[in-house]
Every structure is written in C-alpha cells, then in structure tokens.
Amino acid sequence: MTTILVLHGPNLSILGRRQPEIYGTTTLETIDEALRSRASAWGWEIIAVQSNHEGALIDTIESHYERIEGVLINPGALTHYGLSLRDALAALTVPIVEVHLSNIHARAEEWRHHSITGEVAKGIVSGFGWRSYLLGLDALRGIIDPGASPPA
Ligand code: DQA
C-alpha cells in the first residue's frame, strides 16, 4: 500500500474559524477526510498529523520516513522561516508536494512571498483553498504512479 504523510503546520488546527476570508470555512478534519477518501479510491493510505511545533513535525517525519512513499505538507508560517523543518524535508528521498490555501505570492505581507520549504519540494500548489490539498495529492499521484489513469 502507498502511504502518504500529510503534515499541517502551526495554526492550521483552527481552520474554519481562522481568518475565514483568507483561509475559508472548511475545517482541517474535513480536508483530511477528503484526502483520505480520494486516496482510498487509489488504494492509498493517509497519515495526517497537525502540530503547532516545528520539532514535533520533524519528529513525525523522522518516525515515519521508512514507511511513507510521499509527503503532502502545508507548513503554515514555517514555510517562510522553518529552517529545521526544511532540513528534515531535504533529508527525505520521497517526493514532497507543498500546498497553501492562500496564494502566498499575492499576500499583503512580503515575508510570505518566499517559501524555504518549497525549495526542497517537487512543486507547490498555492491559492485554491481546500482544493489545494486535493490538487497536491493528485500531483503526488502523478509522480509516484505516473502510469495511473487520470482522475475520474
Ligand atoms: C498558509 C500561508 C502561510 O503564510 C500562513 O502562515 C499559514 C497558512 C496557507 O495555507 O495559505 O499559516 O500556509
């Protein structure tokens, strides 16, 4: 079975009530369910973990690295300054896809425009709300299982 580690960084635990005008009203639970349902149609398994702590995200990566085929990550604000998280991701040999609910390049704060974690990802999906996660999962499928038929 193909196992994907889905990582959600700081403050994504409160999705749904966190600045809904930017991040939408969909909760993290709903996003994880949507990912699980899509993945299970392919016979894939999702392990989803959220943490507000960079070290805990790194611990999760280290403890799963032998049994995952890919990583889907929204690092939250760690995207912009999480050097330890970036190093942990860089140490992985499996493909990483980074996703963001908002378009980080179009945000008012200039510090959001650059992603240091994205530098070690295969690609970034940014700006499509909860759909960014599903698009990112589709992208991972294209990388891991390029012979698979297109999504129905
Ligand atoms: C975010 C964008 C980040 O700049 C922000 O710190 C987040 C969420 C997004 O999904 O749009 O926490 O990663």
Side-chain angles (χ1 to χ4, degrees):
M1 178 172 302
T2 299
T3 302
I4 302 299
L5 181 61
V6 176
L7 292 172
H8 309 283
N11 299 306
L12 293 167
S13 43
I14 52 167
L15 271 189
R17 62 185 168 87
R18 175 190 179 198
Q19 294 176 286
E21 67 287 2
I22 296 174
Y23 300 116
T25 53
T26 306
T27 64
L28 197 62
E29 221 170 49
T30 303
I31 290 174
D32 284 343
E33 267 167 34
L35 289 171
R36 282 206 174 90
S37 141
R38 193 154 183 76
S40 70
W42 309 330
W44 284 20
E45 176 196 28
I46 298 286
I47 298 172
V49 176
Q50 188 279 330
S51 180
N52 292 327
H53 307 280
E54 185 169 7
L57 292 168
I58 295 167
D59 287 345
T60 302
I61 291 169
E62 285 185 1
S63 62
H64 287 84
Y65 87 104
E66 270 179 344
R67 55 190 185 100
I68 54 170
E69 275 74 42
V71 173
L72 186 69
I73 183 166
N74 182 349
L78 294 170
T79 303
H80 317 294
Y81 70 90
L83 289 171
S84 312
L85 178 62
R86 182 198 190 279
D87 280 354
L89 293 169
L92 291 173
T93 53
V94 298
I96 299 159
V97 172
E98 178 169 305
V99 299
H100 298 283
L101 297 141
S102 63
N103 177 354
I104 58 172
H105 300 286
R107 298 285 299 273
E109 304 90 347
E110 201 159 320
W111 55 268
R112 291 190 202 272
H113 298 174
H114 185 65
S115 168
I116 57 169
T117 45
E119 289 169 0
V120 296
K122 287 277 179 199
I124 304 175
V125 182
S126 186
F128 303 102
W130 58 268
R131 288 182 180 83
S132 291
Y133 283 88
L134 293 177
L135 292 166
L137 188 65
D138 281 352
L140 265 182
R141 192 180 190 217
I143 297 163
I144 295 169
D145 198 1
S149 47

